[in-house]
Amino acid sequence: MAESANVGSKGNTFEEIELTVNKIHGDKTQQSTEGSTDTKNEEKFQPYKKILVENGFVHVNIQGNLRKPAMITFHDFGLNHKTCFGGYLGFPESEVLLENFCIYHVDAPGQEEDAEVLPDTYQYPTMDQLANNILTVCEHYNIRRFIGFGVGVGGNVLLRFALKHKAMVTSLILVNTVSMAASWAEWGQQKLTGWYLSRNGVTNHTLNHLEWYYFGQTPEINIDELNHLRSCLMKLKPTNLAKFMNSYHNRTVIQITKPSSTMPASSPTVLSCPVLLMVGSESPIIDQVVDLNSRLDPTQSTFMKLEECGGLLLDEKAGAVSTGVQLFLQGQGYMVHKKVKAFSSMTPAPETEKQKPAIQESEEVLV
């Protein structure tokens, strides 16, 4: 994959997860426990948990230090927490997130690895219901405030949560995220893709649709990225994925408006937290992402368009994304002593630099 490297030895796997208290130093990330979990109950935290929510179960995987501020991630469709964020967190420049935050990876119902097939009668949660599940996760871990990091569908879910629970979200990192409802063309294409998934599994039609979604108009698709995507899809249960996709493409519009003299920051439709919004220049949904950017407070938001890539920004442009994320978080007072390495969003890393997933297998713990 482009802009990748071998995983270092520090804090990458769940076997190496830091759930102990590190020495406190000087910056906000290391001093503040606001948004972190209740460290008096550290013994109840496991790297992997299955948490009961109102519409079934969600799987949560934890990386980082429980004394550090909380970050919650949510993945896109066709992926799960491991295939969406594992490679990115294995990139050496991204290890700073593992060192400075307690990261809670949330998998949508039925999208985790080795998931059971959801019953035909199972009503998959809507985007708003998935956002409500985030609140249940926060209550389980006693998370009072957190940074949200969402990709595609995950960004849409976290955006809904941030509007409904403004006091709980300190900032948002959104990748390929839209606020619009699906167009008729998108809805129709998805219905056909879902039909194929439910009846025939992962077919060439399914692959073509998802390749378009992730790679867009990228002139030359990296064969490693393509094989990675196909490998991710083959690990998911087709009927579960179809239900997840149906839920997303039946999403309602997110009512979000830019603050003004008649629309104060306290308005329910104004997003008050700082936002980093990223999109690839070749993404097929770039216009919708730009529309979302136009609805954000320009004094509180940062927009990044990464050249020569589609929708898999965390894999295709890991270095540039890492730079943008670190600078954004430093602007919020985190990791202020960390020197940020600059990456060009135009130049891929040498082919010899490959990354391995930072997220490995872990034992299931039921609660």
Side-chain angles (χ1 to χ4, degrees):
M1 298 180 184
E3 293 197 16
S4 357
N6 291 327
V7 178
S9 60
K10 187 175 182 180
N12 286 318
T13 68
F14 282 127
E15 288 72 25
E16 298 166 338
I17 188 171
E18 289 186 62
L19 294 181
T20 57
V21 179
N22 283 353
K23 182 178 179 181
I24 297 177
H25 298 283
D27 62 32
K28 177 179 176 181
T29 303
Q30 294 162 325
Q31 288 182 337
S32 176
T33 58
E34 182 181 54
S36 63
T37 56
D38 184 357
T39 54
K40 293 181 180 179
N41 296 310
E42 290 181 8
E43 66 277 2
K44 81 173 183 176
F45 291 93
Q46 302 293 333
Y48 178 80
K49 281 200 173 185
K50 184 177 179 180
I51 298 176
L52 178 66
V53 294
E54 63 179 356
N55 39 60
F57 291 92
V58 294
H59 293 74
V60 180
N61 291 258
I62 306 175
Q63 287 183 289
N65 188 301
L66 294 175
R67 287 264 181 165
K68 301 298 175 71
M71 176 180 289
I72 294 180
T73 74
F74 205 115
H75 58 88
D76 206 348
F77 65 65
L79 304 171
N80 53 41
H81 82 275
K82 181 184 292 186
T83 53
C84 189
F85 294 97
Y88 171 70
L89 291 174
F91 187 72
E93 294 303 316
S94 300
E95 287 186 346
V96 65
L97 297 182
L98 298 176
E99 297 167 359
N100 290 279
F101 298 95
C102 184
I103 304 178
Y104 299 80
H105 300 288
V106 179
D107 281 327
Q111 308 308 305
E112 69 279 1
E113 280 196 347
D114 302 319
E116 297 180 358
V117 176
L118 297 172
D120 291 339
T121 56
Y122 178 73
Q123 184 65 43
Y124 206 87
T126 65
M127 292 296 102
D128 287 318
Q129 290 172 329
L130 289 173
N132 290 339
N133 290 347
I134 299 296
L135 182 60
T136 304
V137 171
C138 290
E139 291 171 345
H140 178 85
Y141 291 108
N142 194 27
I143 299 172
R144 298 184 297 276
R145 305 188 76 194
F146 68 87
I147 298 166
F149 194 159
V151 179
V153 180
N156 189 279
V157 170
L158 290 172
L159 183 59
R160 292 172 189 270
F161 182 93
L163 282 169
K164 190 174 181 180
H165 305 280
K166 294 186 179 184
M168 294 185 66
V169 182
T170 59
S171 55
L172 283 176
I173 302 167
L174 304 176
V175 180
N176 277 1
T177 298
V178 304
S179 60
M180 296 178 175
S183 65
W184 282 108
E186 179 186 354
W187 183 85
Q189 178 64 46
Q190 186 281 328
K191 290 294 289 185
L192 184 59
T193 300
W195 185 88
Y196 276 109
L197 276 171
S198 298
R199 288 160 178 76
N200 304 311
V202 179
T203 64
N204 285 334
H205 174 88
T206 306
L207 288 173
N208 290 337
H209 173 67
L210 291 172
E211 287 168 14
W212 167 83
Y213 175 75
Y214 282 113
F215 298 109
Q217 305 302 316
T218 305
E220 295 183 7
I221 298 177
N222 185 302
I223 190 64
D224 290 336
E225 298 290 348
L226 183 60
N227 290 335
H228 168 68
L229 175 62
R230 290 178 173 176
S231 175
C232 294
L233 292 172
M234 298 307 295
K235 294 178 181 178
L236 297 174
K237 298 296 188 294
T239 55
N240 293 3
L241 175 57
K243 290 177 183 294
F244 188 29
M245 292 177 64
N246 281 331
S247 176
Y248 179 61
H249 288 92
N250 286 320
R251 66 188 182 273
T252 57
V253 64
I254 301 177
Q255 299 294 340
I256 182 169
T257 53
K258 184 182 297 185
S260 64
S261 57
T262 59
M263 191 69 65
S266 58
S267 170
T269 61
V270 173
L271 188 63
S272 56
C273 69
V275 180
L276 172 61
L277 180 61
M278 294 180 281
V279 67
S281 63
E282 307 303 326
S283 170
I285 60 172
I286 186 171
D287 290 340
Q288 293 96 309
V289 178
V290 171
D291 175 80
L292 171 59
N293 183 59
S294 71
R295 300 173 186 275
L296 301 176
D297 182 350
T299 67
Q300 289 276 72
S301 61
T302 302
F303 181 71
M304 285 181 60
K305 183 177 76 172
L306 303 183
E307 299 298 328
E308 298 181 350
C309 66
L312 293 174
L313 272 65
L314 301 191
D315 291 313
E316 295 180 83
K317 298 292 181 180
V321 170
S322 179
T323 298
V325 168
Q326 290 183 52
L327 290 174
F328 173 72
L329 291 174
Q330 284 185 341
Q332 313 309 312
Y334 302 101
M335 308 180 300
V336 294
H337 300 301
K338 171 69 177 178
K339 184 177 180 180
V340 181
K341 182 177 180 180
F343 280 84
S344 169
S345 63
M346 298 291 291
T347 306
E351 182 64 24
T352 55
E353 293 186 345
K354 296 293 179 184
Q355 71 195 45
K356 296 184 291 184
I359 304 174
Q360 306 294 337
E361 297 292 343
S362 56
E363 182 180 357
E364 176 173 334
V365 179
L366 301 182
V367 295

